[in-house]
Amino acid sequence: MTDIKVIIPAFNEADSIALVIKGLPRTISEVIVVNNNSTDDTAKNAEAAGATVLTETRKGYGYACLKGLDYIALSAKQPNIIVFIDGDYSDYPEELDKVVAPILKDNIDFVVGARTKGLREEGSMTPQQVFGNWLATFLMQLFFGAKFTDLGPFRAIKYEKLKELNMEDKTYGWTVEMQLKILKKKMTYTEVPVRYKRRIGVSKVSGTVKGSIFAGIKILGWIFKYSIK
Ligand SMILES: Nc1nc2c(ncn2[C@@H]2O[C@H](COP(=O)(O)OP(=O)(O)O)[C@@H](O)[C@H]2O)c(=O)[nH]1
Ligand SMILES: [Mg+2]
């Protein structure tokens, strides 16, 4: 039986976190919510919905994901697959089966849920987010011949492969770092189109000027770092 664990980084997602957890297929062995200094009921609601709740006090998306991985490394039973999904209910958690399917059926190492234009709700991604994703994936194609079209947060990877990546980004470079390392290590990957809707609650990243600029710099920084290697 394939063991799948889900990691959800969450910062003030009290109104959406339970919907994400409950929307995931029942076949998941553990849902791990990494609460990052939330000042609302994120932790309480996640626990009530059946998730394992971890606390990471250092602020940052990457810090939260790394905390989840540290926890898994120490747990009794290691999973075969790790899925990442955001806590804001923008993704459709029930699409998890679709996202992991290429790993299960075709033995692919890594899958990105791509928020394809026709499938995402209008306004679910900000213009700067659409542009940033386009630019990042365009540069990855130019420099590395990559076939990604998105840096979407909803993604699945074989646990053994993820360990080999030695992930280190502490903030919003997390998604692009993973994709660049997949390319560098010549692991196999694919994308599946996923739906995407307007989030519940307020955006912490792309909906803020600071978040957008910071994320943009981090993402481009990773790409240029790899392009000169
Ligand atoms: N752990 C952690 N998660 C964060 C932080 N900022 C945002 N998130 C989470 O990361 C996900 C994406 O953030 P979001 O605000 O939706 O960004 P957007 O999709 O670009 O608008 C959500 O699940 C947030 O709760 C943070 O500093 N730490
Ligand atoms: Mg979001």
Side-chain angles (χ1 to χ4, degrees):
M1 195 38 202
T2 311
D3 189 307
I4 304 174
K5 290 189 194 284
V6 178
I7 295 178
I8 312 178
F11 168 57
N12 283 352
E13 304 293 3
D15 294 336
S16 53
I17 195 72
L19 291 167
V20 179
I21 296 163
K22 291 194 170 139
L24 290 164
R26 294 276 153 253
T27 46
I28 302 307
S29 73
E30 187 172 18
V31 180
I32 300 153
V33 171
V34 188
N35 175 32
N36 216 186
N37 298 329
S38 297
T39 52
D40 64 5
D41 286 334
T42 298
K44 192 179 120 201
N45 296 352
E47 216 166 285
T52 300
V53 179
L54 308 179
T55 305
E56 172 54 70
T57 52
R58 290 168 299 182
K59 201 165 158 39
Y61 191 90
Y63 270 126
C65 293
L66 289 168
K67 179 86 179 193
L69 293 184
D70 287 347
Y71 164 82
I72 288 169
L74 295 173
S75 61
K77 192 170 181 296
Q78 317 269 287
N80 306 103
I81 297 172
I82 305 248
V83 172
F84 295 90
I85 187 169
D86 278 354
D88 60 0
Y89 204 45
S90 277
D91 307 290
Y92 287 74
E94 65 272 26
E95 291 192 325
L96 181 140
D97 291 333
K98 197 169 123 176
V99 175
V100 299
I103 302 181
L104 299 177
K105 293 205 178 82
D106 304 319
N107 201 27
I108 298 282
D109 297 327
F110 172 63
V111 186
V112 178
R115 298 162 292 181
T116 314
K117 192 151 187 278
L119 289 181
R120 62 173 189 256
E121 184 187 359
E122 200 170 313
S124 60
M125 288 174 77
T126 59
Q128 63 272 25
Q129 201 176 5
V130 173
F131 174 73
N133 277 286
W134 171 81
L135 182 63
T137 52
F138 171 76
L139 292 174
M140 280 199 274
Q141 184 186 42
L142 195 68
F143 296 153
F144 317 109
K147 290 191 182 67
F148 293 114
T149 66
D150 194 14
L151 306 176
F154 195 11
R155 45 184 57 213
I157 183 168
K158 287 181 189 165
Y159 181 54
E160 288 305 316
K161 298 290 175 179
L162 180 56
K163 282 196 290 190
E164 278 180 48
L165 299 185
N166 287 317
M167 292 293 292
E168 56 188 86
D169 194 274
K170 313 293 189 278
T171 57
Y172 296 110
W174 177 266
T175 55
V176 78
E177 179 195 2
M178 192 180 291
Q179 280 159 268
L180 288 165
K181 287 182 166 175
I182 290 284
L183 296 168
K184 186 172 170 226
K185 294 193 177 277
K186 301 202 179 344
M187 293 179 185
T188 54
Y189 65 92
T190 191
E191 282 188 350
V192 296
V194 293
R195 297 163 72 204
Y196 200 67
K197 60 186 173 309
R198 285 166 185 259
R199 72 171 353 275
I200 292 175
V202 289
S203 169
K204 324 299 185 304
V205 194
S206 63
T208 66
V209 176
K210 197 179 148 209
S212 300
I213 294 173
F214 184 49
I217 291 170
K218 279 303 288 261
I219 289 166
L220 292 179
W222 269 108
I223 294 173
F224 287 114
K225 181 176 159 187
Y226 269 70
S227 68
I228 56 173
K229 265 190 186 168

